[in-house]
Amino acid sequence: MKLIERYIFRRALTMFLATLLPLLGIVWTTQALTNVNLVTDSGQSVFAFLKLATLILPSVVPIILPFALVIGVTQTLTTMNTDSELTVLNAAGSSRMTIIRPIIYLAAGLSVLSFVVDNFVEPYSRVAVRKMLATANADLLSSVVQENAFRKITDGLYVQVGGRRGGGVLEGIFVADSRNPAFELVYYAREGAVDEKSSALVMKDGEVQRKLPDGGVSIIKFDSYAFDLADMTKATREATIRAKDRDLPNLFNPDPNDSVYQGNPLAFTAELHRRLTEWTFPLVFGLIALVFCSDARSHREARVHPMVSALGSALVIRWMTFYAGNSAEDSVWFVPLMYIVPLATGALAIHQLASNRRLDIPMTWQEKLSELMVRLRLVRPSSDGSNAS
């Protein structure tokens, strides 16, 4: 690259990073906080939460990259235009490609990064997150030892522990079991412990109350009672690996005996085509930004800020692809739309840049209304160009 191209590339990259990091931090925080209760409630450490938050990060990066690029490029080129740098380049005889080329290099590099993250890093992190959450859900020992608080183990099953002693001994155990609609069971025990090998809550010196729908209550005292939790533990420890969690080879050739694939094969098809199209958005959005702000403009020219126009266009394009991708899970006819939108957008942007055209703002609504009124002869044009009644 030439010296001026390296200058533009460096400024655009700096502005891109300055935009990316805050956006990434905000989205990353909101995504991580959705699971913080599960991690803390199951007794996981702060390191487990940091690991979970780190594993969520790759799923956020491909979404944020294109929008950070649009903001970074438009802000860089708009600032250069305000400082008359684009005007000087134009007056010095530099072609428009001097401005376009470094931005394309940056956008192409981000597209490659997006492809790697989307197809190789993100599937691994998604699987790890699902397994970690499943393990947290199944960590029954940590769930029941929370003192003086009702813990919901599953629908219709609640546990409260009054206290805990050394060696894993629990005091003041209360269990309410209403999973069977025919009767309700309430367990009280002076002490007990959780047997991790058999996944059972062993209670000692207590009683169980059985309440029938007709209001009758029977009470049975026991010296020792094992409350079985094995089936629930097994169910929660099995993480469901969905289409979005699969790697690219698995999406190309899914196992026909896979229960998840059998349940919704179109989800695998939609996810495959999403992986093959989503990585192009940094390049497409880079072209959109160039269309709106790669030419020198007069400071007196009235127009919408290029960032607003470029970002608004990018949001519309991204919404269309989201809609097509979600709809493709129900109908294969939406798959072509996932390719048409970015290809058509990129082709129109390249044509606009290659023809060296400028995007001029349309007439305001007032001008359009005035022109319509003149044509309908409701008013007559005045000599100075304005309309008179």
Side-chain angles (χ1 to χ4, degrees):
M1 288 188 293
K2 300 177 182 179
L3 179 61
I4 185 61
E5 292 176 355
R6 291 199 298 269
Y7 169 75
I8 296 174
F9 180 88
R10 185 172 60 254
R11 288 193 59 172
L13 178 61
T14 303
M15 187 59 64
F16 162 75
L17 293 176
T19 305
L20 175 67
L21 296 179
L23 288 178
L24 199 59
I26 294 172
V27 177
W28 180 31
T29 302
T30 56
Q31 292 293 319
L33 289 179
T34 58
N35 298 306
V36 66
N37 289 336
L38 177 61
V39 175
T40 55
D41 290 348
S42 60
Q44 303 292 324
S45 65
V46 65
F47 298 103
F49 172 73
L50 293 176
K51 179 182 178 181
L52 176 64
T54 303
L55 291 173
I56 291 175
L57 189 59
S59 63
V60 177
V61 171
I63 300 175
I64 300 299
L65 276 182
F67 292 102
L69 178 64
V70 169
I71 296 174
V73 171
T74 53
Q75 182 62 31
T76 298
L77 296 183
T78 301
T79 302
M80 291 181 65
N81 184 67
T82 303
D83 295 339
S84 301
E85 291 177 295
L86 296 185
T87 304
V88 171
L89 288 175
N90 189 31
S94 297
S95 66
R96 203 175 183 183
M97 286 301 300
T98 303
I99 302 171
I100 295 174
R101 193 178 294 113
I103 303 302
I104 295 299
Y105 289 157
L106 177 59
L110 293 178
S111 292
V112 174
L113 175 62
S114 180
F115 180 84
V116 172
V117 173
D118 213 0
N119 291 282
F120 299 101
V121 180
E122 184 181 352
Y124 165 79
S125 66
R126 280 182 173 272
V127 172
V129 167
R130 291 198 182 279
K131 290 182 178 180
M132 186 175 179
L133 294 179
T135 302
N137 278 319
D139 194 354
L140 300 179
L141 175 60
S142 298
S143 296
V144 299
V145 297
Q146 301 294 325
E147 300 179 13
N148 299 319
F150 281 98
R151 306 297 308 143
K152 180 180 179 181
I153 305 302
T154 186
D155 292 337
L157 181 61
Y158 297 85
V159 176
Q160 182 187 25
V161 175
R164 57 181 298 185
R165 298 201 309 263
V169 178
L170 309 177
E171 295 180 335
I173 301 174
F174 171 83
V175 178
D177 185 2
S178 59
R179 292 175 293 175
N180 192 331
F183 54 84
E184 295 181 8
L185 297 173
V186 178
Y187 301 83
Y188 300 94
R190 185 177 60 84
E191 64 179 28
V194 175
D195 186 354
E196 294 184 352
K197 294 182 179 179
S198 61
S199 296
L201 175 61
V202 181
M203 295 179 285
K204 297 180 180 180
D205 189 12
E207 65 180 31
V208 55
Q209 298 180 2
R210 179 173 178 176
K211 182 179 180 181
L212 300 176
D214 59 2
V217 178
S218 61
I219 301 176
I220 301 175
K221 293 184 178 295
F222 58 81
D223 292 329
S224 179
Y225 184 88
F227 192 89
D228 189 14
L229 301 172
D231 293 339
M232 181 170 38
T233 304
K234 180 180 179 181
T236 52
R237 284 191 182 275
E238 294 178 354
T240 302
I241 309 302
R242 302 175 183 175
K244 291 185 178 181
D245 309 325
R246 309 300 176 96
D247 54 22
L248 197 59
N250 190 279
L251 292 175
F252 271 111
N253 188 25
D255 184 3
N257 298 321
D258 189 341
S259 59
V260 179
Y261 175 73
Q262 292 175 346
N264 189 6
L266 285 180
F268 283 71
T269 302
E271 179 63 18
L272 172 62
H273 293 289
R274 185 192 69 81
R275 299 273 187 89
L276 297 178
T277 56
E278 190 173 66
W279 67 274
T280 63
F281 284 108
L283 187 57
V284 173
F285 284 14
L287 291 171
I288 291 175
L290 286 170
V291 168
F292 282 99
C293 58
S294 62
D295 54 340
R297 299 269 185 160
S298 171
H299 302 318
R300 297 181 178 181
E301 182 177 345
R303 63 166 179 164
V304 179
H305 196 283
M307 183 182 297
V308 177
S309 303
L311 197 56
S313 302
L315 286 171
V316 172
I317 299 301
R318 199 67 180 94
W319 174 84
M320 292 174 65
T321 55
F322 267 126
Y323 174 79
N326 292 334
S327 300
E329 296 183 4
D330 301 319
S331 174
V332 73
W333 295 104
F334 284 91
V335 171
L337 186 61
M338 300 173 67
Y339 291 88
I340 292 174
V341 172
L343 288 176
T345 303
L348 289 174
I350 292 174
H351 177 267
Q352 185 75 20
L353 294 171
S355 59
N356 202 26
R357 296 180 180 179
R358 294 177 54 178
L359 281 181
D360 296 322
I361 60 173
M363 292 186 300
T364 63
W365 288 107
Q366 181 178 1
E367 291 172 339
K368 290 183 177 181
L369 181 60
S370 299
E371 182 181 8
L372 179 61
M373 294 178 69
V374 170
R375 291 181 179 180
L376 294 177
R377 297 183 179 180
L378 297 177
V379 297
R380 67 177 187 275
S382 61
S383 58
D384 60 355
S386 61
N387 298 320
S389 58

